[in-house]
Amino acid sequence: MPPTNDRFLRALRGQPVDATPVWLMRQAGRYLPEYRATRAKAGSFMALATNPELACEVTLQPLARFDLDAAILFSDILTIPDAMGLGLTFAEGEGPRFARPVRTAADIARLGVPDMEGELRYVMAALRLIRRELGGRVPLIGFSGSPWTLACYMVEGGGSDNFGRIKAMALSEPALLHQLLSVVTASVIAYLSAQRAAGAQALQVFDTWGGALAPAHYREFSLPYLQRIARELERGTGDDRTPLIVFGKGNDPYLEELAQDVEALGVDWTIGLGEARRRVPKHIALQGNLDPATLYASPEAITREVARTLDEYAAANGGSREGHVFNLGHGLSPDMDPEHVRVLVDAVHAHSLR
Amino acid sequence: MPPTNDRFLRALRGQPVDATPVWLMRQAGRYLPEYRATRAKAGSFMALATNPELACEVTLQPLARFDLDAAILFSDILTIPDAMGLGLTFAEGEGPRFARPVRTAADIARLGVPDMEGELRYVMAALRLIRRELGGRVPLIGFSGSPWTLACYMVEGGGSDNFGRIKAMALSEPALLHQLLSVVTASVIAYLSAQRAAGAQALQVFDTWGGALAPAHYREFSLPYLQRIARELERGTGDDRTPLIVFGKGNDPYLEELAQDVEALGVDWTIGLGEARRRVPKHIALQGNLDPATLYASPEAITREVARTLDEYAAANGGSREGHVFNLGHGLSPDMDPEHVRVLVDAVHAHSLR
């Protein structure tokens, strides 16, 4: 059964839509008071993320408020390394931390593809529950971090300003890093396949840190693994095909190479959407790309910028809005005003309605 | 009198050199134990930066250790807004803070170009002292933050993850932001002119945060002010001309536009130096662009990457190393090993020596 509102899936397939679909990265999150209430009830971020009922609850919260065209599983990009035994925690007000980062050949040799209905069962249970609770209203997106981005956290042990450890590994022990990226890539493919089986109707890979690499290293350590996922991930055919969206921060120089074998590319706001449309083959949809900081501006400015983004896409697409999923160029921040988010979502539909 | 070692100035003029010159952004800094000792003696970062004798001492420290081809004034990019009365402080382990950020039309109306031999006299005194102490060994570089980058700190009141306040101003009150950028640009031009008069033999503008802007906003709020500096800054003619280097993090999409009226462009490591060389007119020198994280790798890997960077430049420059100043794509970090810095500097000369 297709969802009642299938604009998002139709746009990803390049089919005509009545209005441009919109969803927002981190649409379920701390900027919503109801999210903060559920998070407080859970006790910790990981307690929230690993509880299917609570994960379902926060996934649905933004849909109750805003006219969004897709739901995205509430989870974290670091579930795979956590399931590999690295011990993920979030200290309040700080980023993620791994108790057991991956630094040596022995550390890497120990890693295996996690059991999708074992350590990662909570993710699949959440997806099944969300699909049931959505009742076909809008499609449900599953996701994973990219191999390079997951490897960054695994080697650094958390966030990093300059990725010194993993870049040193890339230069001094490249074979070791490729071994790590291989097992992570196999895990990402298994994870996305299991999410699809559990009900995800589209899949997004987040390459958050690919843009931190020099071009030669991006093409050695991030791009080939993204391409392998796009090539090897079994996802059906025709209208039953589960679209794969690859999003990368700072992926502007690589759009043509990333476009191989994917259904859509997500782009950040540092490239014009018109330029991206001109460079990427027409049968690949584009997702993006309003600067998230636009949400700090006035409602009038938000409305104007939404229209500008939609029109920049259409102008580069022969006047057609087809093949465009509206999104931010990166995620929402905790200090953003939910009423401004409403203005944005409504402006997308109002301006693009046929 | 030209400096004894004038490789750096010759490279900026596109003249033949015996070996590629090298200096490193943040070469005077916390990774050096002797810097930390001077910093401790000063009591605070600002006490160090505003004391000409101590600023001279730390400027010269890396030259005593390494075979660098230029000295760069030890100072901060936020001296101008501090001199405008915003009250700059650095909390230990945190970034810069302004006691009086600029948020309203009244705040902006109050701003004026600082007196270069008044509030900013300490900078000119440091330059005069450093020139004397250098005794003509290598050229001395003066610098400033770019108008957009300074405005970011002035409006945000310090560092920022997403530049929400200034981007909101850009969208909701663009005329106000242009007014701010105008007075900052006039100040930067006066500041660089005064630095030249005080002995600076080359000048660099750091556009650290331009890359955080969407293209349309970069072209409205950062690029025109950089171009105005390049056009209006009086800097002599011929071999007496003081070269201007414009460095921008994430400036890759704008290289052609930035190249107007400058002597050199600094580029970060997310673009290949060969591609940059092919895009920028030959009479403009290029500075860069090794990924600073390379310094965390082994000496063998550092040496290899230095050679790769030098050869990538030469391959795109008809086999010639002319017009290239070797540098990192961004600054050194406090946890880097000074011995690795030595390996890098020596490798640049060894590999490029005629």
Side-chain angles (χ1 to χ4, degrees), chain A:
Chain A
M1 277 279 290
T4 313
N5 169 358
D6 64 349
R7 276 177 192 149
F8 171 67
L9 293 175
R10 292 181 62 85
L12 289 175
R13 293 190 205 111
Q15 295 167 343
V17 285
D18 62 331
T20 299
V22 54
W23 71 277
L24 303 173
M25 291 191 271
R26 259 186 267 154
Q27 65 189 22
R30 276 198 284 160
Y31 74 105
L32 291 176
E34 57 269 35
Y35 170 89
R36 296 194 296 269
T38 309
R39 163 77 182 68
K41 191 166 68 181
S44 76
F45 178 85
M46 281 310 282
L48 174 56
T50 57
N51 180 317
E53 286 74 26
L54 296 181
C56 175
E57 184 179 314
V58 297
T59 296
L60 299 178
Q61 284 168 350
L63 301 171
R65 270 190 185 250
F66 312 122
D67 191 17
L68 293 159
D69 297 300
I72 180 163
L73 166 73
F74 177 81
S75 189
D76 191 75
I77 62 164
L78 299 180
T79 49
I80 288 176
D82 183 55
M84 285 173 161
L86 273 61
L88 178 62
T89 54
F90 289 81
E92 200 58 50
E94 289 180 40
R97 278 280 136 209
F98 284 120
R100 292 169 289 282
V102 166
R103 302 271 162 86
T104 65
D107 292 341
I108 291 173
R110 260 194 299 275
L111 300 173
V113 175
D115 181 354
M116 299 301 150
E117 291 291 347
E119 299 94 345
L120 289 167
R121 185 186 182 81
Y122 68 90
V123 175
M124 309 312 149
L127 284 163
R128 286 186 284 259
L129 185 58
I130 298 164
R131 264 304 289 276
R132 197 167 68 222
E133 293 294 319
L134 274 173
R137 279 178 285 160
V138 295
L140 173 58
I141 308 168
F143 72 92
S144 172
S146 75
W148 165 256
T149 295
L150 296 182
C152 281
Y153 286 101
M154 294 170 78
V155 173
E156 301 292 338
S160 172
D161 283 340
N162 58 16
F163 305 100
R165 285 179 188 273
I166 192 167
K167 287 183 173 179
M169 189 187 281
L171 289 167
S172 304
E173 301 175 288
L176 204 57
L177 181 54
H178 281 298
Q179 192 189 335
L180 170 59
L181 289 164
S182 291
V183 65
V184 173
T185 301
S187 302
V188 168
I189 292 172
Y191 189 51
L192 293 173
S193 294
Q195 291 191 37
R196 179 170 175 259
Q201 291 152 292
L203 298 164
Q204 176 155 325
V205 174
F206 288 83
D207 189 27
T208 313
W209 299 126
L213 286 166
H217 277 173
Y218 183 86
R219 293 195 171 94
E220 177 170 357
F221 298 107
S222 185
L223 181 65
Y225 295 99
L226 292 167
Q227 290 174 328
R228 186 176 145 201
I229 293 166
R231 210 169 45 237
E232 294 184 11
L233 179 66
E234 174 54 55
R235 52 193 191 275
T237 54
D239 277 9
D240 287 334
R241 188 167 177 84
T242 306
L244 176 68
I245 308 162
V246 171
F247 168 78
K249 217 157 157 267
N251 65 2
D252 154 24
Y254 313 107
L255 292 181
E256 293 84 353
E257 293 154 274
L258 286 166
Q260 292 170 31
D261 301 313
V262 303
E263 281 70 41
L265 287 181
V267 293
D268 73 24
W269 68 95
T270 63
I271 179 174
L273 199 54
E275 187 195 325
R277 182 67 290 171
R278 284 185 291 272
R279 283 172 47 194
V280 173
K282 281 289 153 60
H283 67 282
I284 311 290
L286 289 179
Q287 180 176 277
N289 74 342
L290 191 67
D291 184 345
T294 307
L295 285 160
Y296 295 113
S298 64
E300 297 69 30
I302 294 168
T303 302
R304 195 179 64 229
E305 289 299 302
V306 164
R308 199 193 47 69
T309 305
L310 285 164
D311 292 347
E312 184 179 345
Y313 180 90
N317 197 44
S320 163
R321 303 196 190 281
E322 287 168 21
H324 182 204
V325 173
F326 198 98
N327 208 316
L328 300 172
H330 201 217
L332 289 163
S333 292
D335 61 349
M336 287 171 173
D337 181 345
E339 284 311 304
H340 284 202
V341 174
R342 178 191 313 283
V343 167
L344 184 157
V345 171
D346 290 346
V348 173
H349 293 145
H351 190 78
S352 65
L353 203 66
R354 283 172 181 276

Side-chain angles (χ1 to χ4, degrees), chain B residues 74-156:
Chain B
F74 177 81
S75 189
D76 192 75
I77 62 164
L78 299 179
T79 49
I80 287 177
D82 183 55
M84 285 172 162
L86 274 62
L88 177 63
T89 54
F90 290 81
E92 200 59 52
E94 290 179 39
R97 279 279 136 210
F98 284 119
R100 292 169 289 283
V102 167
R103 302 270 162 86
T104 65
D107 292 341
I108 292 173
R110 259 195 299 274
L111 300 173
V113 175
D115 180 355
M116 299 303 150
E117 291 292 346
E119 299 94 344
L120 288 167
R121 185 185 183 82
Y122 68 91
V123 175
M124 309 313 149
L127 284 163
R128 287 186 283 260
L129 185 57
I130 298 163
R131 264 304 289 276
R132 197 166 68 224
E133 293 295 318
L134 275 173
R137 278 178 286 160
V138 294
L140 173 59
I141 308 169
F143 72 92
S144 173
S146 76
W148 165 256
T149 296
L150 296 182
C152 281
Y153 287 101
M154 293 169 79
V155 174
E156 300 292 339

